[in-house]
Amino acid sequence: MTVLTSAIENNFVVITRNDASYNNFREFLEYIKTTKQKINYGTNGLQSMLWSEKLIQLAGSIDAQAIEYKGEKEVLIDIMNGILEFGIFGTSGSAQLVNEKRLKYIAIGGNKTDPKWPNVELISNYVSIKMTGFQLIVGPKGMSDETIIWLNKILTIALNSPETKDNLENRGNIVVAENLDLSRKLDKEHFTDRRNLFLEFSQKINK
């Protein structure tokens, strides 16, 4: 495949039901350490699975089970219904449910707090990983440089248009569409790194 542009980034968050007894990450860790109930948590991909396992490791030896789902929506529904204790995803699919007080965030990834969620503490206070995700727009393999540049220009303009950008950012995303100049080695390396990371994740998920 050919990477045409990076599109959006978002911070991943630890999500639980709104009526959970804990209200921050410290209380969450204490709860899963001391509860006598089995901890079930949902994942729908490599990143959410790895970060969930990392959080479970912080709690030490506890009875926990990961349940793998095909989609984020199904995980969020089961969190709200009390079937799952928590999940780790980006904010774009859950922000509305948090605003409706059906779910709540107890920790957020990235290097700084999100102005939309100023009271949600950073996961980096507890674990040394940057919990962020990104999405790329890709095309078929073997596209010409001229086609890549043309599509990149159009996509970058579209993603950075006020209407599109406001819509995406209101859902917790950061628009990171970039103009690509294939004559510059830096841009080639930048997009190659993103493509390789994307392919690496894809290969692991598909195994």
Side-chain angles (χ1 to χ4, degrees), residues 91-128:
T91 57
S92 59
S94 56
Q96 182 176 343
L97 295 170
V98 171
N99 288 331
E100 294 172 355
K101 300 191 181 302
R102 301 170 70 186
L103 294 170
K104 64 182 174 183
Y105 301 146
I106 56 171
I108 192 166
N111 297 322
K112 59 182 180 179
T113 56
D114 190 319
K116 297 182 182 66
W117 323 105
N119 297 322
V120 181
E121 60 185 341
L122 294 174
I123 193 71
S124 58
N125 293 339
Y126 299 88
V127 58
S128 58

PDB file of all heavy atoms in Angstrom, residues 91-128:
ATOM      1  N   THR A  91     -10.619   8.913  21.936  1.00  0.00           N
ATOM      2  CA  THR A  91     -11.796   9.631  22.423  1.00  0.00           C
ATOM      3  C   THR A  91     -12.875   9.812  21.366  1.00  0.00           C
ATOM      4  O   THR A  91     -14.021  10.112  21.702  1.00  0.00           O
ATOM      5  CB  THR A  91     -11.391  11.018  22.956  1.00  0.00           C
ATOM      6  OG1 THR A  91     -10.712  11.729  21.909  1.00  0.00           O
ATOM      7  CG2 THR A  91     -10.485  10.897  24.156  1.00  0.00           C
ATOM      8  N   SER A  92     -12.537   9.626  20.081  1.00  0.00           N
ATOM      9  CA  SER A  92     -13.495   9.955  19.024  1.00  0.00           C
ATOM     10  C   SER A  92     -14.771   9.131  19.111  1.00  0.00           C
ATOM     11  O   SER A  92     -15.858   9.631  18.811  1.00  0.00           O
ATOM     12  CB  SER A  92     -12.854   9.788  17.647  1.00  0.00           C
ATOM     13  OG  SER A  92     -12.392   8.464  17.467  1.00  0.00           O
ATOM     14  N   GLY A  93     -14.675   7.868  19.514  1.00  0.00           N
ATOM     15  CA  GLY A  93     -15.859   7.028  19.559  1.00  0.00           C
ATOM     16  C   GLY A  93     -16.616   7.075  20.865  1.00  0.00           C
ATOM     17  O   GLY A  93     -17.731   6.553  20.964  1.00  0.00           O
ATOM     18  N   SER A  94     -16.037   7.701  21.880  1.00  0.00           N
ATOM     19  CA  SER A  94     -16.641   7.659  23.212  1.00  0.00           C
ATOM     20  C   SER A  94     -16.992   9.028  23.786  1.00  0.00           C
ATOM     21  O   SER A  94     -17.696   9.113  24.803  1.00  0.00           O
ATOM     22  CB  SER A  94     -15.680   6.960  24.184  1.00  0.00           C
ATOM     23  OG  SER A  94     -14.419   7.618  24.185  1.00  0.00           O
ATOM     24  N   ALA A  95     -16.528  10.108  23.159  1.00  0.00           N
ATOM     25  CA  ALA A  95     -16.707  11.450  23.721  1.00  0.00           C
ATOM     26  C   ALA A  95     -18.181  11.779  23.971  1.00  0.00           C
ATOM     27  O   ALA A  95     -18.539  12.327  25.015  1.00  0.00           O
ATOM     28  CB  ALA A  95     -16.070  12.491  22.813  1.00  0.00           C
ATOM     29  N   GLN A  96     -19.041  11.433  23.018  1.00  0.00           N
ATOM     30  CA  GLN A  96     -20.459  11.744  23.184  1.00  0.00           C
ATOM     31  C   GLN A  96     -21.055  11.000  24.371  1.00  0.00           C
ATOM     32  O   GLN A  96     -21.847  11.557  25.138  1.00  0.00           O
ATOM     33  CB  GLN A  96     -21.237  11.391  21.911  1.00  0.00           C
ATOM     34  CG  GLN A  96     -22.718  11.742  21.991  1.00  0.00           C
ATOM     35  CD  GLN A  96     -23.453  11.482  20.697  1.00  0.00           C
ATOM     36  OE1 GLN A  96     -22.841  11.342  19.642  1.00  0.00           O
ATOM     37  NE2 GLN A  96     -24.768  11.406  20.759  1.00  0.00           N
ATOM     38  N   LEU A  97     -20.650   9.736  24.549  1.00  0.00           N
ATOM     39  CA  LEU A  97     -21.153   8.942  25.666  1.00  0.00           C
ATOM     40  C   LEU A  97     -20.656   9.487  27.004  1.00  0.00           C
ATOM     41  O   LEU A  97     -21.361   9.414  28.011  1.00  0.00           O
ATOM     42  CB  LEU A  97     -20.742   7.481  25.501  1.00  0.00           C
ATOM     43  CG  LEU A  97     -21.344   6.766  24.290  1.00  0.00           C
ATOM     44  CD1 LEU A  97     -20.700   5.409  24.083  1.00  0.00           C
ATOM     45  CD2 LEU A  97     -22.849   6.626  24.466  1.00  0.00           C
ATOM     46  N   VAL A  98     -19.452  10.050  27.016  1.00  0.00           N
ATOM     47  CA  VAL A  98     -18.944  10.688  28.232  1.00  0.00           C
ATOM     48  C   VAL A  98     -19.724  11.965  28.510  1.00  0.00           C
ATOM     49  O   VAL A  98     -20.107  12.238  29.657  1.00  0.00           O
ATOM     50  CB  VAL A  98     -17.430  10.979  28.098  1.00  0.00           C
ATOM     51  CG1 VAL A  98     -16.933  11.835  29.269  1.00  0.00           C
ATOM     52  CG2 VAL A  98     -16.650   9.672  28.033  1.00  0.00           C
ATOM     53  N   ASN A  99     -19.977  12.748  27.478  1.00  0.00           N
ATOM     54  CA  ASN A  99     -20.765  13.975  27.653  1.00  0.00           C
ATOM     55  C   ASN A  99     -22.178  13.671  28.146  1.00  0.00           C
ATOM     56  O   ASN A  99     -22.777  14.469  28.876  1.00  0.00           O
ATOM     57  CB  ASN A  99     -20.821  14.753  26.335  1.00  0.00           C
ATOM     58  CG  ASN A  99     -19.497  15.409  25.984  1.00  0.00           C
ATOM     59  OD1 ASN A  99     -18.714  15.756  26.878  1.00  0.00           O
ATOM     60  ND2 ASN A  99     -19.227  15.565  24.704  1.00  0.00           N
ATOM     61  N   GLU A 100     -22.702  12.511  27.745  1.00  0.00           N
ATOM     62  CA  GLU A 100     -24.040  12.101  28.190  1.00  0.00           C
ATOM     63  C   GLU A 100     -24.008  11.425  29.556  1.00  0.00           C
ATOM     64  O   GLU A 100     -25.045  10.964  30.044  1.00  0.00           O
ATOM     65  CB  GLU A 100     -24.645  11.136  27.161  1.00  0.00           C
ATOM     66  CG  GLU A 100     -24.933  11.783  25.813  1.00  0.00           C
ATOM     67  CD  GLU A 100     -25.350  10.763  24.759  1.00  0.00           C
ATOM     68  OE1 GLU A 100     -25.318   9.541  25.054  1.00  0.00           O
ATOM     69  OE2 GLU A 100     -25.693  11.184  23.640  1.00  0.00           O
ATOM     70  N   LYS A 101     -22.798  11.345  30.147  1.00  0.00           N
ATOM     71  CA  LYS A 101     -22.599  10.734  31.474  1.00  0.00           C
ATOM     72  C   LYS A 101     -23.014   9.266  31.507  1.00  0.00           C
ATOM     73  O   LYS A 101     -23.556   8.773  32.499  1.00  0.00           O
ATOM     74  CB  LYS A 101     -23.328  11.536  32.558  1.00  0.00           C
ATOM     75  CG  LYS A 101     -22.844  12.981  32.664  1.00  0.00           C
ATOM     76  CD  LYS A 101     -23.378  13.671  33.887  1.00  0.00           C
ATOM     77  CE  LYS A 101     -22.900  15.122  33.954  1.00  0.00           C
ATOM     78  NZ  LYS A 101     -21.433  15.240  33.963  1.00  0.00           N
ATOM     79  N   ARG A 102     -22.720   8.581  30.416  1.00  0.00           N
ATOM     80  CA  ARG A 102     -22.935   7.136  30.364  1.00  0.00           C
ATOM     81  C   ARG A 102     -21.619   6.388  30.543  1.00  0.00           C
ATOM     82  O   ARG A 102     -21.609   5.222  30.921  1.00  0.00           O
ATOM     83  CB  ARG A 102     -23.595   6.761  29.036  1.00  0.00           C
ATOM     84  CG  ARG A 102     -24.944   7.457  28.837  1.00  0.00           C
ATOM     85  CD  ARG A 102     -25.496   7.278  27.438  1.00  0.00           C
ATOM     86  NE  ARG A 102     -25.924   5.918  27.200  1.00  0.00           N
ATOM     87  CZ  ARG A 102     -26.343   5.471  26.015  1.00  0.00           C
ATOM     88  NH1 ARG A 102     -26.379   6.293  24.973  1.00  0.00           N
ATOM     89  NH2 ARG A 102     -26.719   4.222  25.860  1.00  0.00           N
ATOM     90  N   LEU A 103     -20.516   7.064  30.235  1.00  0.00           N
ATOM     91  CA  LEU A 103     -19.168   6.563  30.467  1.00  0.00           C
ATOM     92  C   LEU A 103     -18.345   7.681  31.094  1.00  0.00           C
ATOM     93  O   LEU A 103     -18.762   8.844  31.100  1.00  0.00           O
ATOM     94  CB  LEU A 103     -18.516   6.128  29.148  1.00  0.00           C
ATOM     95  CG  LEU A 103     -19.102   4.931  28.401  1.00  0.00           C
ATOM     96  CD1 LEU A 103     -18.477   4.815  27.022  1.00  0.00           C
ATOM     97  CD2 LEU A 103     -18.929   3.645  29.194  1.00  0.00           C
ATOM     98  N   LYS A 104     -17.155   7.329  31.585  1.00  0.00           N
ATOM     99  CA  LYS A 104     -16.241   8.372  32.071  1.00  0.00           C
ATOM    100  C   LYS A 104     -14.809   7.953  31.805  1.00  0.00           C
ATOM    101  O   LYS A 104     -14.485   6.768  31.700  1.00  0.00           O
ATOM    102  CB  LYS A 104     -16.451   8.650  33.558  1.00  0.00           C
ATOM    103  CG  LYS A 104     -16.144   7.498  34.508  1.00  0.00           C
ATOM    104  CD  LYS A 104     -16.457   7.917  35.943  1.00  0.00           C
ATOM    105  CE  LYS A 104     -16.295   6.747  36.914  1.00  0.00           C
ATOM    106  NZ  LYS A 104     -16.668   7.129  38.298  1.00  0.00           N
ATOM    107  N   TYR A 105     -13.945   8.969  31.638  1.00  0.00           N
ATOM    108  CA  TYR A 105     -12.516   8.759  31.469  1.00  0.00           C
ATOM    109  C   TYR A 105     -11.843   8.863  32.829  1.00  0.00           C
ATOM    110  O   TYR A 105     -12.160   9.758  33.619  1.00  0.00           O
ATOM    111  CB  TYR A 105     -11.918   9.817  30.542  1.00  0.00           C
ATOM    112  CG  TYR A 105     -12.500   9.867  29.157  1.00  0.00           C
ATOM    113  CD1 TYR A 105     -12.626  11.078  28.475  1.00  0.00           C
ATOM    114  CD2 TYR A 105     -12.912   8.708  28.508  1.00  0.00           C
ATOM    115  CE1 TYR A 105     -13.144  11.128  27.194  1.00  0.00           C
ATOM    116  CE2 TYR A 105     -13.431   8.763  27.222  1.00  0.00           C
ATOM    117  CZ  TYR A 105     -13.552   9.981  26.574  1.00  0.00           C
ATOM    118  OH  TYR A 105     -14.070  10.034  25.301  1.00  0.00           O
ATOM    119  N   ILE A 106     -10.878   7.964  33.063  1.00  0.00           N
ATOM    120  CA  ILE A 106     -10.144   8.057  34.333  1.00  0.00           C
ATOM    121  C   ILE A 106      -8.652   8.282  34.134  1.00  0.00           C
ATOM    122  O   ILE A 106      -7.937   8.549  35.093  1.00  0.00           O
ATOM    123  CB  ILE A 106     -10.383   6.819  35.216  1.00  0.00           C
ATOM    124  CG1 ILE A 106     -10.018   5.529  34.462  1.00  0.00           C
ATOM    125  CG2 ILE A 106     -11.824   6.764  35.684  1.00  0.00           C
ATOM    126  CD1 ILE A 106     -10.032   4.317  35.351  1.00  0.00           C
ATOM    127  N   ALA A 107      -8.188   8.196  32.893  1.00  0.00           N
ATOM    128  CA  ALA A 107      -6.788   8.531  32.599  1.00  0.00           C
ATOM    129  C   ALA A 107      -6.662   8.732  31.101  1.00  0.00           C
ATOM    130  O   ALA A 107      -7.382   8.120  30.312  1.00  0.00           O
ATOM    131  CB  ALA A 107      -5.843   7.431  33.071  1.00  0.00           C
ATOM    132  N   ILE A 108      -5.745   9.598  30.711  1.00  0.00           N
ATOM    133  CA  ILE A 108      -5.585   9.936  29.300  1.00  0.00           C
ATOM    134  C   ILE A 108      -4.110   9.839  28.904  1.00  0.00           C
ATOM    135  O   ILE A 108      -3.218  10.117  29.700  1.00  0.00           O
ATOM    136  CB  ILE A 108      -6.135  11.365  29.026  1.00  0.00           C
ATOM    137  CG1 ILE A 108      -6.253  11.632  27.532  1.00  0.00           C
ATOM    138  CG2 ILE A 108      -5.286  12.433  29.711  1.00  0.00           C
ATOM    139  CD1 ILE A 108      -7.094  12.851  27.209  1.00  0.00           C
ATOM    140  N   GLY A 109      -3.862   9.396  27.658  1.00  0.00           N
ATOM    141  CA  GLY A 109      -2.497   9.279  27.169  1.00  0.00           C
ATOM    142  C   GLY A 109      -1.971  10.616  26.675  1.00  0.00           C
ATOM    143  O   GLY A 109      -2.637  11.645  26.764  1.00  0.00           O
ATOM    144  N   GLY A 110      -0.763  10.583  26.116  1.00  0.00           N
ATOM    145  CA  GLY A 110      -0.166  11.816  25.617  1.00  0.00           C
ATOM    146  C   GLY A 110       0.728  12.479  26.646  1.00  0.00           C
ATOM    147  O   GLY A 110       0.947  11.978  27.745  1.00  0.00           O
ATOM    148  N   ASN A 111       1.244  13.652  26.270  1.00  0.00           N
ATOM    149  CA  ASN A 111       2.190  14.360  27.133  1.00  0.00           C
ATOM    150  C   ASN A 111       1.552  15.460  27.957  1.00  0.00           C
ATOM    151  O   ASN A 111       2.179  16.014  28.856  1.00  0.00           O
ATOM    152  CB  ASN A 111       3.305  14.980  26.277  1.00  0.00           C
ATOM    153  CG  ASN A 111       4.121  13.917  25.567  1.00  0.00           C
ATOM    154  OD1 ASN A 111       4.390  12.854  26.112  1.00  0.00           O
ATOM    155  ND2 ASN A 111       4.511  14.194  24.326  1.00  0.00           N
ATOM    156  N   LYS A 112       0.311  15.815  27.653  1.00  0.00           N
ATOM    157  CA  LYS A 112      -0.359  16.863  28.410  1.00  0.00           C
ATOM    158  C   LYS A 112      -1.850  16.598  28.448  1.00  0.00           C
ATOM    159  O   LYS A 112      -2.391  15.877  27.607  1.00  0.00           O
ATOM    160  CB  LYS A 112      -0.086  18.241  27.810  1.00  0.00           C
ATOM    161  CG  LYS A 112      -0.524  18.405  26.368  1.00  0.00           C
ATOM    162  CD  LYS A 112      -0.165  19.781  25.833  1.00  0.00           C
ATOM    163  CE  LYS A 112      -0.604  19.943  24.383  1.00  0.00           C
ATOM    164  NZ  LYS A 112      -0.269  21.289  23.854  1.00  0.00           N
ATOM    165  N   THR A 113      -2.510  17.164  29.430  1.00  0.00           N
ATOM    166  CA  THR A 113      -3.938  16.946  29.568  1.00  0.00           C
ATOM    167  C   THR A 113      -4.682  17.574  28.395  1.00  0.00           C
ATOM    168  O   THR A 113      -4.211  18.520  27.766  1.00  0.00           O
ATOM    169  CB  THR A 113      -4.460  17.542  30.885  1.00  0.00           C
ATOM    170  OG1 THR A 113      -4.123  18.938  30.923  1.00  0.00           O
ATOM    171  CG2 THR A 113      -3.850  16.837  32.078  1.00  0.00           C
ATOM    172  N   ASP A 114      -5.851  17.027  28.125  1.00  0.00           N
ATOM    173  CA  ASP A 114      -6.691  17.525  27.034  1.00  0.00           C
ATOM    174  C   ASP A 114      -7.579  18.629  27.589  1.00  0.00           C
ATOM    175  O   ASP A 114      -8.252  18.437  28.597  1.00  0.00           O
ATOM    176  CB  ASP A 114      -7.546  16.377  26.499  1.00  0.00           C
ATOM    177  CG  ASP A 114      -8.271  16.728  25.207  1.00  0.00           C
ATOM    178  OD1 ASP A 114      -8.769  17.867  25.112  1.00  0.00           O
ATOM    179  OD2 ASP A 114      -8.358  15.864  24.324  1.00  0.00           O
ATOM    180  N   PRO A 115      -7.606  19.818  26.957  1.00  0.00           N
ATOM    181  CA  PRO A 115      -8.449  20.906  27.448  1.00  0.00           C
ATOM    182  C   PRO A 115      -9.927  20.530  27.549  1.00  0.00           C
ATOM    183  O   PRO A 115     -10.667  21.108  28.329  1.00  0.00           O
ATOM    184  CB  PRO A 115      -8.243  22.029  26.427  1.00  0.00           C
ATOM    185  CG  PRO A 115      -7.251  21.557  25.445  1.00  0.00           C
ATOM    186  CD  PRO A 115      -6.831  20.171  25.778  1.00  0.00           C
ATOM    187  N   LYS A 116     -10.346  19.547  26.740  1.00  0.00           N
ATOM    188  CA  LYS A 116     -11.741  19.113  26.812  1.00  0.00           C
ATOM    189  C   LYS A 116     -12.013  18.282  28.056  1.00  0.00           C
ATOM    190  O   LYS A 116     -13.148  18.149  28.503  1.00  0.00           O
ATOM    191  CB  LYS A 116     -12.112  18.306  25.563  1.00  0.00           C
ATOM    192  CG  LYS A 116     -12.046  19.086  24.266  1.00  0.00           C
ATOM    193  CD  LYS A 116     -12.482  18.209  23.100  1.00  0.00           C
ATOM    194  CE  LYS A 116     -12.374  18.960  21.779  1.00  0.00           C
ATOM    195  NZ  LYS A 116     -10.989  19.273  21.425  1.00  0.00           N
ATOM    196  N   TRP A 117     -10.943  17.689  28.603  1.00  0.00           N
ATOM    197  CA  TRP A 117     -11.081  16.822  29.779  1.00  0.00           C
ATOM    198  C   TRP A 117     -10.014  17.222  30.798  1.00  0.00           C
ATOM    199  O   TRP A 117      -9.141  16.434  31.140  1.00  0.00           O
ATOM    200  CB  TRP A 117     -10.927  15.346  29.384  1.00  0.00           C
ATOM    201  CG  TRP A 117     -11.532  15.008  28.066  1.00  0.00           C
ATOM    202  CD1 TRP A 117     -10.871  14.783  26.898  1.00  0.00           C
ATOM    203  CD2 TRP A 117     -12.925  14.872  27.763  1.00  0.00           C
ATOM    204  NE1 TRP A 117     -11.754  14.521  25.884  1.00  0.00           N
ATOM    205  CE2 TRP A 117     -13.027  14.555  26.382  1.00  0.00           C
ATOM    206  CE3 TRP A 117     -14.090  14.983  28.513  1.00  0.00           C
ATOM    207  CZ2 TRP A 117     -14.237  14.359  25.751  1.00  0.00           C
ATOM    208  CZ3 TRP A 117     -15.299  14.776  27.867  1.00  0.00           C
ATOM    209  CH2 TRP A 117     -15.372  14.466  26.524  1.00  0.00           C
ATOM    210  N   PRO A 118     -10.062  18.443  31.320  1.00  0.00           N
ATOM    211  CA  PRO A 118      -8.970  18.965  32.163  1.00  0.00           C
ATOM    212  C   PRO A 118      -8.787  18.218  33.473  1.00  0.00           C
ATOM    213  O   PRO A 118      -7.694  18.269  34.075  1.00  0.00           O
ATOM    214  CB  PRO A 118      -9.393  20.420  32.415  1.00  0.00           C
ATOM    215  CG  PRO A 118     -10.881  20.419  32.241  1.00  0.00           C
ATOM    216  CD  PRO A 118     -11.157  19.415  31.166  1.00  0.00           C
ATOM    217  N   ASN A 119      -9.806  17.535  33.944  1.00  0.00           N
ATOM    218  CA  ASN A 119      -9.709  16.845  35.228  1.00  0.00           C
ATOM    219  C   ASN A 119      -9.275  15.387  35.108  1.00  0.00           C
ATOM    220  O   ASN A 119      -9.168  14.692  36.125  1.00  0.00           O
ATOM    221  CB  ASN A 119     -11.064  16.911  35.949  1.00  0.00           C
ATOM    222  CG  ASN A 119     -11.464  18.339  36.272  1.00  0.00           C
ATOM    223  OD1 ASN A 119     -10.624  19.161  36.632  1.00  0.00           O
ATOM    224  ND2 ASN A 119     -12.744  18.647  36.115  1.00  0.00           N
ATOM    225  N   VAL A 120      -9.030  14.945  33.886  1.00  0.00           N
ATOM    226  CA  VAL A 120      -8.598  13.563  33.672  1.00  0.00           C
ATOM    227  C   VAL A 120      -7.072  13.526  33.688  1.00  0.00           C
ATOM    228  O   VAL A 120      -6.421  14.176  32.889  1.00  0.00           O
ATOM    229  CB  VAL A 120      -9.130  13.013  32.330  1.00  0.00           C
ATOM    230  CG1 VAL A 120      -8.693  11.560  32.138  1.00  0.00           C
ATOM    231  CG2 VAL A 120     -10.650  13.120  32.280  1.00  0.00           C
ATOM    232  N   GLU A 121      -6.501  12.758  34.612  1.00  0.00           N
ATOM    233  CA  GLU A 121      -5.046  12.784  34.789  1.00  0.00           C
ATOM    234  C   GLU A 121      -4.316  11.988  33.721  1.00  0.00           C
ATOM    235  O   GLU A 121      -4.899  11.148  33.032  1.00  0.00           O
ATOM    236  CB  GLU A 121      -4.681  12.253  36.180  1.00  0.00           C
ATOM    237  CG  GLU A 121      -5.111  10.831  36.448  1.00  0.00           C
ATOM    238  CD  GLU A 121      -4.828  10.413  37.868  1.00  0.00           C
ATOM    239  OE1 GLU A 121      -4.001  11.065  38.523  1.00  0.00           O
ATOM    240  OE2 GLU A 121      -5.433   9.433  38.321  1.00  0.00           O
ATOM    241  N   LEU A 122      -3.032  12.264  33.578  1.00  0.00           N
ATOM    242  CA  LEU A 122      -2.200  11.637  32.550  1.00  0.00           C
ATOM    243  C   LEU A 122      -1.803  10.224  32.956  1.00  0.00           C
ATOM    244  O   LEU A 122      -1.366   9.990  34.085  1.00  0.00           O
ATOM    245  CB  LEU A 122      -0.943  12.461  32.307  1.00  0.00           C
ATOM    246  CG  LEU A 122      -1.130  13.852  31.696  1.00  0.00           C
ATOM    247  CD1 LEU A 122       0.194  14.584  31.671  1.00  0.00           C
ATOM    248  CD2 LEU A 122      -1.705  13.733  30.289  1.00  0.00           C
ATOM    249  N   ILE A 123      -1.903   9.299  31.999  1.00  0.00           N
ATOM    250  CA  ILE A 123      -1.438   7.937  32.247  1.00  0.00           C
ATOM    251  C   ILE A 123       0.073   7.912  32.438  1.00  0.00           C
ATOM    252  O   ILE A 123       0.616   7.035  33.104  1.00  0.00           O
ATOM    253  CB  ILE A 123      -1.863   7.014  31.084  1.00  0.00           C
ATOM    254  CG1 ILE A 123      -1.680   5.549  31.448  1.00  0.00           C
ATOM    255  CG2 ILE A 123      -1.098   7.326  29.816  1.00  0.00           C
ATOM    256  CD1 ILE A 123      -2.661   5.061  32.466  1.00  0.00           C
ATOM    257  N   SER A 124       0.774   8.899  31.864  1.00  0.00           N
ATOM    258  CA  SER A 124       2.234   8.940  31.973  1.00  0.00           C
ATOM    259  C   SER A 124       2.705   9.188  33.402  1.00  0.00           C
ATOM    260  O   SER A 124       3.886   9.022  33.705  1.00  0.00           O
ATOM    261  CB  SER A 124       2.803  10.016  31.046  1.00  0.00           C
ATOM    262  OG  SER A 124       2.263  11.291  31.343  1.00  0.00           O
ATOM    263  N   ASN A 125       1.797   9.583  34.290  1.00  0.00           N
ATOM    264  CA  ASN A 125       2.156   9.695  35.698  1.00  0.00           C
ATOM    265  C   ASN A 125       2.403   8.326  36.327  1.00  0.00           C
ATOM    266  O   ASN A 125       2.991   8.237  37.404  1.00  0.00           O
ATOM    267  CB  ASN A 125       1.044  10.396  36.481  1.00  0.00           C
ATOM    268  CG  ASN A 125       0.880  11.851  36.089  1.00  0.00           C
ATOM    269  OD1 ASN A 125       1.798  12.460  35.542  1.00  0.00           O
ATOM    270  ND2 ASN A 125      -0.294  12.407  36.346  1.00  0.00           N
ATOM    271  N   TYR A 126       1.962   7.273  35.637  1.00  0.00           N
ATOM    272  CA  TYR A 126       2.026   5.936  36.212  1.00  0.00           C
ATOM    273  C   TYR A 126       2.790   4.935  35.362  1.00  0.00           C
ATOM    274  O   TYR A 126       3.330   3.969  35.882  1.00  0.00           O
ATOM    275  CB  TYR A 126       0.604   5.399  36.425  1.00  0.00           C
ATOM    276  CG  TYR A 126      -0.209   6.240  37.368  1.00  0.00           C
ATOM    277  CD1 TYR A 126      -0.949   7.322  36.890  1.00  0.00           C
ATOM    278  CD2 TYR A 126      -0.226   5.984  38.736  1.00  0.00           C
ATOM    279  CE1 TYR A 126      -1.690   8.110  37.753  1.00  0.00           C
ATOM    280  CE2 TYR A 126      -0.972   6.764  39.601  1.00  0.00           C
ATOM    281  CZ  TYR A 126      -1.696   7.831  39.106  1.00  0.00           C
ATOM    282  OH  TYR A 126      -2.428   8.615  39.967  1.00  0.00           O
ATOM    283  N   VAL A 127       2.798   5.130  34.064  1.00  0.00           N
ATOM    284  CA  VAL A 127       3.460   4.168  33.184  1.00  0.00           C
ATOM    285  C   VAL A 127       4.169   4.930  32.065  1.00  0.00           C
ATOM    286  O   VAL A 127       3.645   5.908  31.544  1.00  0.00           O
ATOM    287  CB  VAL A 127       2.431   3.157  32.620  1.00  0.00           C
ATOM    288  CG1 VAL A 127       1.337   3.887  31.866  1.00  0.00           C
ATOM    289  CG2 VAL A 127       3.081   2.113  31.753  1.00  0.00           C
ATOM    290  N   SER A 128       5.359   4.481  31.710  1.00  0.00           N
ATOM    291  CA  SER A 128       6.203   5.232  30.772  1.00  0.00           C
ATOM    292  C   SER A 128       5.911   4.861  29.322  1.00  0.00           C
ATOM    293  O   SER A 128       6.761   4.336  28.611  1.00  0.00           O
ATOM    294  CB  SER A 128       7.682   4.977  31.081  1.00  0.00           C
ATOM    295  OG  SER A 128       7.960   3.590  30.994  1.00  0.00           O
TER     296      SER A 128
END
